[in-house]
Amino acid sequence: MSALTLTAAPVDRPRQTRWLLRLHRPAIYTWAVLWLALVALLLALDGPLLNAAADAWRQYESCTTSERCSYDQNAILRYKDYYNYATIALNVLPFVLAAWAGAALTGRELESGTARLAWTQATSPAHWLAVRLAVPALGVTVCTGLLAWLHHRAWTASQGRIESAKEWYDRFTFHAGGPTLAAMALAGLAAGALAGLLLRRTLPALAVGLVAVGVVRWLTELAMPHLWPAVTRLSTVDQGFLGKGMVVDQGMVTASGAHVPPPTCDSVASCATVFDRFTGRYNTYQPQSHLWGVQLTTTALTLAVAALLVTGCFLVLRRQTGTLRAARA
């Protein structure tokens, strides 16, 4: 009688991606509705809303001071309002992602114990976390990338047609219309996930995730003007500051050629006396030709911060679980 060789049946690993999508189905549906609404709004800002506002501006500019002016002011105000709504909504997205990641993506699963249940079913903690970061990151990158492209396209179409159009260096416009939007969204996702892992509770993780992405945004704002070589223009005191763009530094030029901060004065007479001591002004700024240089360097910096936050997620999980590998039967 031949010996029978018994082999253990392979452990059926749960499909974490499918489980993740099913678990967060309400959030996915909400995000889809919001995304479609923003896409429709941005297309309108590059279409009928823009055309109506541009026609109104042409009517306004054709008016003379001696005759009664008639133009569609509502079209101008409507375009301005909807542009602001769309731009602010895009800037808020990283904060929404941070709150969701902290409250639901990691915090709720750790608080309820579903994460540990997954780890007992041949799913390592590392794999569990990797799926929860990679799957949302892929969707966030694609969706925010398209929104940023549509916003930049709408903003570009408004230049020269809408007199009240925002400048490229307006902070909300800058982040809404470039790759920094996707990078900031990924940083928000990672910050929220890290908050959830650290606190392991839903509401505290939500709050800390919001604060964390706010800090990332603040630090990015501070560093952004200095990430690309800037241009400096000199002018006389009477000319004022020359050059238009993202300001890096401004001040006065002394007789020795030194650059000093602009002085403060209380009255016209005292100002005249103070400014007589200077020979000119200087303005260090990023012109519009540096738009994509500043965008790409800011994106690289934000992605580096996001990578550090992701690394922190895995280190925290390893400290909490003692291992990132699934236990072998």
Side-chain angles (χ1 to χ4, degrees), residues 128-147:
W128 173 85
L129 180 58
V131 170
R132 272 145 188 79
L133 291 175
V135 174
L138 177 61
V140 165
T141 302
V142 173
C143 292
T144 55
L146 180 58
L147 290 175

Side-chain angles (χ1 to χ4, degrees), residues 49-68:
L49 291 175
L50 172 66
N51 295 331
D55 290 340
W57 275 111
R58 281 197 297 269
Q59 295 168 6
Y60 175 78
E61 291 170 353
S62 65
C63 296
T64 62
T65 57
S66 59
E67 64 181 17
R68 188 174 181 179

Side-chain angles (χ1 to χ4, degrees), residues 52-54 56-57 60 71-81 162 164:
W57 275 111
Y60 175 78
Y71 66 98
D72 190 356
Q73 185 180 25
N74 290 333
I76 295 175
L77 296 177
R78 189 181 307 114
Y79 175 86
K80 180 180 179 180
D81 288 342
I162 306 296
S164 59

Side-chain angles (χ1 to χ4, degrees), residues 48-304:
L49 291 175
L50 172 66
N51 295 331
D55 290 340
W57 275 111
R58 281 197 297 269
Q59 295 168 6
Y60 175 78
E61 291 170 353
S62 65
C63 296
T64 62
T65 57
S66 59
E67 64 181 17
R68 188 174 181 179
C69 184
S70 176
Y71 66 98
D72 190 356
Q73 185 180 25
N74 290 333
I76 295 175
L77 296 177
R78 189 181 307 114
Y79 175 86
K80 180 180 179 180
D81 288 342
Y82 283 119
Y83 178 88
N84 289 335
Y85 296 154
T87 304
I88 292 173
L90 291 180
N91 278 266
V92 169
L93 281 181
F95 293 89
V96 175
L97 286 168
W100 171 75
L105 189 63
T106 56
R108 187 176 65 185
E109 289 200 42
L110 290 170
E111 184 178 21
S112 63
T114 56
R116 290 197 174 276
L117 177 62
W119 302 341
T120 61
Q121 297 178 355
T123 297
S124 68
H127 180 67
W128 173 85
L129 180 58
V131 170
R132 272 145 188 79
L133 291 175
V135 174
L138 177 61
V140 165
T141 302
V142 173
C143 292
T144 55
L146 180 58
L147 290 175
W149 176 72
L150 289 174
H151 187 280
H152 182 75
R153 176 176 170 174
W155 174 82
T156 302
S158 70
Q159 300 302 293
R161 301 182 65 189
I162 306 296
E163 293 297 326
S164 59
K166 297 290 186 179
E167 298 290 349
W168 73 271
Y169 51 85
D170 173 76
R171 289 300 200 264
F172 287 99
T173 294
F174 180 88
H175 289 295
T180 57
L181 176 63
M184 192 63 66
L186 293 175
L189 178 69
L194 180 58
L197 290 169
L198 285 171
L199 300 175
R200 306 167 70 88
R201 294 176 59 191
T202 302
L203 293 180
L206 184 153
V208 172
L210 287 174
V211 173
V213 75
V215 171
V216 173
R217 172 67 179 260
W218 175 66
L219 293 175
T220 301
E221 291 287 329
L222 290 179
M224 184 169 61
H226 307 279
L227 297 176
W228 194 257
V231 173
T232 299
R233 292 193 62 181
L234 301 177
S235 60
T236 65
V237 175
D238 295 334
Q239 282 180 310
F241 296 111
L242 298 180
K244 184 179 180 182
M246 182 182 292
V247 175
V248 178
D249 190 22
Q250 289 180 334
M252 309 303 296
V253 181
T254 64
S256 64
H259 291 182
V260 298
T264 56
C265 47
D266 301 327
S267 63
V268 176
S270 62
C271 284
T273 303
V274 170
F275 281 98
D276 283 342
R277 300 201 301 261
F278 300 103
T279 60
R281 302 174 187 259
Y282 74 92
N283 182 26
T284 303
Y285 66 102
Q286 302 286 359
Q288 186 170 352
S289 58
H290 293 185
L291 166 62
W292 291 112
V294 178
Q295 273 279 358
L296 294 177
T297 51
T298 304
T299 300
L301 174 64
T302 309
L303 288 177

